């Protein structure tokens, strides 16, 4: 089944659609710069969905591979700043 634009769910925390970026190295700024902006956009649209930090732990290495320093920082900050699991 092909989902229409209005049926797409971007708030899920998993990022298996970016397997080519991480852990593989098929999508990377050095060899294929064109898909990078789209890969970053999908990461920006991903939600946290719950307070388990699971999504941020998946997004951070993918963002690192895409050379998205601010994105890596924001994902790691969510975990280390205590905003998960009932933190401040």
């Amino acid at each position: 089944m092909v989902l229409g634009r209005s049926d797409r769910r971007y708030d899920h925390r998993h990022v298996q659609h970016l397997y080519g970026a991480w852990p593989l190295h098929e999508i990377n700024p050095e060899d294929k710069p064109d898909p990078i902006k789209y890969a970053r956009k999908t990461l920006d649209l991903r939600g946290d969905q719950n307070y388990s930090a699971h999504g941020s732990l998946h997004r951070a290495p993918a963002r690192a591979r895409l050379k998205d320093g601010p994105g890596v920082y924001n994902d790691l900050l969510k975990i280390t700043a205590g905003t998960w699991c009932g933190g401040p």
Side-chain angles (χ1 to χ4, degrees), residues 10-81:
Y10 292 107
D11 62 346
H12 192 69
R13 65 183 180 263
H14 292 125
V15 292
Q16 64 267 27
H17 62 289
L18 289 176
Y19 193 78
W22 181 84
L24 300 180
H25 198 67
E26 294 175 354
I27 300 172
N28 62 74
E30 296 86 15
D31 297 334
K32 298 179 182 176
D34 292 337
I36 298 304
K37 66 179 176 181
Y38 302 111
R40 285 183 179 173
K41 181 68 173 176
T42 64
L43 288 170
D44 292 341
L45 291 172
R46 292 285 138 180
D48 293 318
Q49 196 174 29
N50 60 35
Y51 296 104
S52 67
H54 185 86
S56 291
L57 289 171
H58 278 272
R59 287 189 302 267
R63 288 185 188 277
R65 181 62 55 87
L66 299 173
K67 300 190 184 294
D68 179 8
V72 173
Y73 176 78
N74 288 332
D75 280 326
L76 294 179
L77 186 62
K78 289 178 186 177
I79 300 164
T80 60

